[in-house]
């Protein structure tokens, strides 16, 4: 249950926090830190509301400190998590980058998730989306952020491939992180996280 809005929801759409020994609010994206979890909907607005209403203190039943740049820190953590997951997929041979490679994978139905830079050219992105035939896609990272996942300066088009059972788990985790990042970077529909059901 979100401590900011009071609404219950799927944990995949929320971020867990714990209170550190010093009374600081600590984001726990991996949901493994010890302590009682305080859940907030994965959005900049919900986080601002939780801070404004002092919901962390009330839920923890103690005085806590919330860093001023908490939303920015969470956004950066989500980007790093996504880059790490893409890097894992790349090292396992389940992630490719480059327009020609992605187009070929889409044509041969090898891709399970289309990744595009949010600041990439709209016409090229639209062409690949049409070719993807309803495949889930995400366009929330910048060219440089997506490039970093491939050890490149910039990447505009990438895809996660169907490459055995391990790619299914990676794809699920990637889609979850992209859905949570969308709450910090704008509306899902505007930024291109489609078919993420």
């Amino acid at each position: 249950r979100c401590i900011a809005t009071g609404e219950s929801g799927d944990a995949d759409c929320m971020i867990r926090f714990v209170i550190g020994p010093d009374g600081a609010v600590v984001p726990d994206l991996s949901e493994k830190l010890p302590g009682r979890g305080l859940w907030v909907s994965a959005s900049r607005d919900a986080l601002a509301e939780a801070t404004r209403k002092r919901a962390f203190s009330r839920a923890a039943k103690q005085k806590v400190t919330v860093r001023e740049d908490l939303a920015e820190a969470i956004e950066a953590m989500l980007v790093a998590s996504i880059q790490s997951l893409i890097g894992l997929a790349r090292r396992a041979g389940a992630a490719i980058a480059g327009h020609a490679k992605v187009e070929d994978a889409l044509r041969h139905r090898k891709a399970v998730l289309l990744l595009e830079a949010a600041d990439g050219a709209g016409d090229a992105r639209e062409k690949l989306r049409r070719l993807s035939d309803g495949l889930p896609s995400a366009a929330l990272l910048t060219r440089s952020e997506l490039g970093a996942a491939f050890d490149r300066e910039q990447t505009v088009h990438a895809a996660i491939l169907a490459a055995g059972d391990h790619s299914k788990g990676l794809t699920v985790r990637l889609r979850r992180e992209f859905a949570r990042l969308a709450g910090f970077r704008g509306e899902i529909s505007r930024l291109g996280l489609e078919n993420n059901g």
Side-chain angles (χ1 to χ4, degrees):
R1 189 174 120 138
C2 175
I3 62 170
T5 64
E7 295 175 9
S8 294
D10 190 341
D12 284 353
C13 300
M14 298 184 145
I15 294 176
R16 182 180 188 261
F17 296 85
V18 296
I19 307 304
D22 59 354
V25 173
V26 178
D28 179 22
L29 296 186
S30 63
E31 299 161 10
K32 293 180 180 175
L33 291 177
R36 180 172 172 252
L38 309 174
W39 295 84
V40 177
S41 297
S43 80
R44 193 175 291 276
D45 292 342
L47 191 57
E49 184 75 0
T51 303
R52 187 185 65 77
K53 291 167 63 173
R54 295 189 174 104
F56 288 110
S57 290
R58 280 203 312 274
K61 297 183 174 132
Q62 70 180 74
K63 185 176 173 131
V64 302
T65 56
V66 181
R67 57 190 276 190
E68 288 184 25
D69 65 341
L70 186 58
E72 291 76 16
I74 291 169
E75 182 179 342
M77 290 169 72
L78 287 167
V79 168
S81 175
I82 289 168
Q83 289 170 325
S84 176
L85 289 169
I86 294 171
L88 281 173
R90 179 178 57 83
R91 289 187 294 281
I96 56 169
H99 189 277
K101 287 182 182 178
V102 172
E103 183 175 356
D104 183 66
L106 292 173
R107 286 190 190 282
H108 292 95
R109 305 283 187 246
K110 294 178 182 174
V112 293
L113 180 63
L114 176 62
L115 307 174
E116 300 175 293
D119 53 350
D123 55 340
R125 285 172 45 197
E126 184 57 35
K127 178 184 174 188
L128 288 180
R129 256 195 226 131
R130 280 196 307 271
L131 194 58
S132 72
D133 192 31
L135 190 73
S137 65
L140 290 165
L141 300 181
T142 65
R143 289 179 293 198
S144 58
E145 289 170 340
L146 189 55
F150 288 92
D151 289 331
R152 297 179 176 185
E153 195 171 312
Q154 294 186 351
T155 297
V156 177
H157 307 287
I160 304 299
L161 305 176
D165 290 339
H166 67 277
S167 70
K168 289 178 188 171
L170 276 171
T171 303
V172 168
R173 290 169 63 195
L174 270 170
R175 289 175 68 182
R176 179 184 189 208
E177 296 300 78
F178 272 117
R180 296 198 299 177
L181 180 60
F184 291 86
R185 292 215 161 164
E187 294 299 318
I188 291 174
S189 58
R190 183 173 69 81
L191 288 169
L193 188 65
E194 289 100 9
N195 302 312
N196 192 21

